[in-house]
Each structure stands twice: as structure tokens, then as C-alpha cells.
Amino acid sequence: MATDFIPLGRREKMPRSLWLAPVSVMLGSMMTLLPIVATVPFLPPFGLMLLLAWRLVRGDAMKVWMPVPLGFFDDMLSGQPLGSAMLLWSATILMIDILDTRLVWRDFWQDWLIASGAIAFVLAAGRLIASPFIAHVDTALLIQICVSAALFPVIARFCAWLDRGKKQR
């Protein structure tokens, strides 16, 4: 018979699901710090992709307000104008929440399509925010969107693999 009794003076461990998703998104945002030299910016936004994967794979992993501090962390590391990821990530998660209430069920292909559209929206809108007068959709942005969309299933599998540890107990 299992009880929820905690001895006096001992604290209960914080559930893994409370810290795992935000920490993995922050680590994904830190991928921009890797010393990769390229003439074309093809590196996908791993922080955004992990945020979307956690939202689509396991919707209860993070609170609705979490994109704001995670976007701030990403803005500080990526060099984008302060507040752009905060705004765009929050808008994206809210759009996915609205879509989630409208759809009866989702499968892998719909998740992939939703995530690809969200990634394209955030990258294009981020480009317009960063340089509004001279920005246009060019080849480098399209390559980055295509690479990000192609890598999303791997990121979603990675989030599911990270989440599997909670269910073993």
C-alpha cells in the first residue's frame, strides 16, 4: 500500500515534468552559441522547435505563459531585437492552442504541418522585425525554413524520448 506521507523535515522532489521541458528549450536556444561558421544562416531555431515539440507532443508540459520567459532567454542569446521571440513564440503557442480546441484529433502529419507553418511564421516575422525596410524572403530564409521543417520530427521524437522517463515509475 503506497502512501503519500512525507516525513517531517523532508521535502518532496519537484516533479520532473516541471523543469524538463523549460530546461530543454533553454538548452535548444543555447545551440546558437556553438561555433559553427557558415556563409548562409541554415541553423534551425532549436529553442523554438523544442517549444513546439513539447506543446504538440505533450500539451501539459508547460504553462501557457512559459513562451514569454523562454522567448526572452532566446532573444538574449540570439541577438534578435528584445521582445521579438517573446511576442512571436507566445503568438504561435496561442495559435496552436486555438487550433487544438478546433481539431477533434491530431496525428503525426498534422503536427508536422502545424509545426512547419509555425516555424515559417516565426522565422519570416522575425526577419521582418529585425530589419523591416530591407527584409524580404530570400533563399537563406527558405533554406532555414526547409531545414527546420525537415528536422522537426527528430526534435519531436527527442522530446518524447525525454518524457519517457516519467512514465517508467
Side-chain angles (χ1 to χ4, degrees), residues 7-139:
L8 202 58
R10 299 219 180 182
R11 291 184 358 178
E12 186 177 357
K13 273 178 60 175
M14 184 167 59
R16 182 176 155 165
S17 62
L18 290 178
W19 60 267
L20 182 63
V23 167
S24 65
V25 172
M26 290 170 70
L27 289 173
S29 293
M30 292 173 73
M31 293 292 285
T32 59
L33 298 177
L34 291 176
I36 297 174
V37 179
T39 56
V40 176
F42 67 92
L43 192 65
F46 286 110
L48 171 67
M49 292 171 63
L50 282 163
L51 178 75
L52 292 173
W54 277 110
R55 173 58 190 90
L56 292 171
V57 169
R58 183 162 176 227
D60 63 340
M62 284 188 270
K63 303 279 187 202
V64 178
W65 52 265
M66 282 305 289
V68 175
L70 294 173
F72 177 74
F73 183 79
D74 187 75
D75 282 339
M76 295 300 286
L77 289 179
S78 68
Q80 283 286 99
L82 195 60
S84 64
M86 294 166 56
L87 171 72
L88 296 174
W89 288 16
S90 298
T92 302
I93 294 299
L94 289 175
M95 285 189 281
I96 290 174
D97 282 342
I98 291 170
L99 261 174
D100 208 15
T101 59
R102 302 279 187 235
L103 296 175
V104 178
W105 56 271
R106 283 192 337 250
D107 63 349
F108 168 74
W109 299 105
Q110 288 173 327
D111 283 350
W112 196 358
L113 182 66
I114 290 169
S116 298
I119 291 167
F121 165 72
V122 170
L123 288 176
R127 175 74 57 94
L128 289 174
I129 289 172
S131 56
F133 297 114
I134 58 172
H136 58 280
V137 178
D138 56 351
T139 308

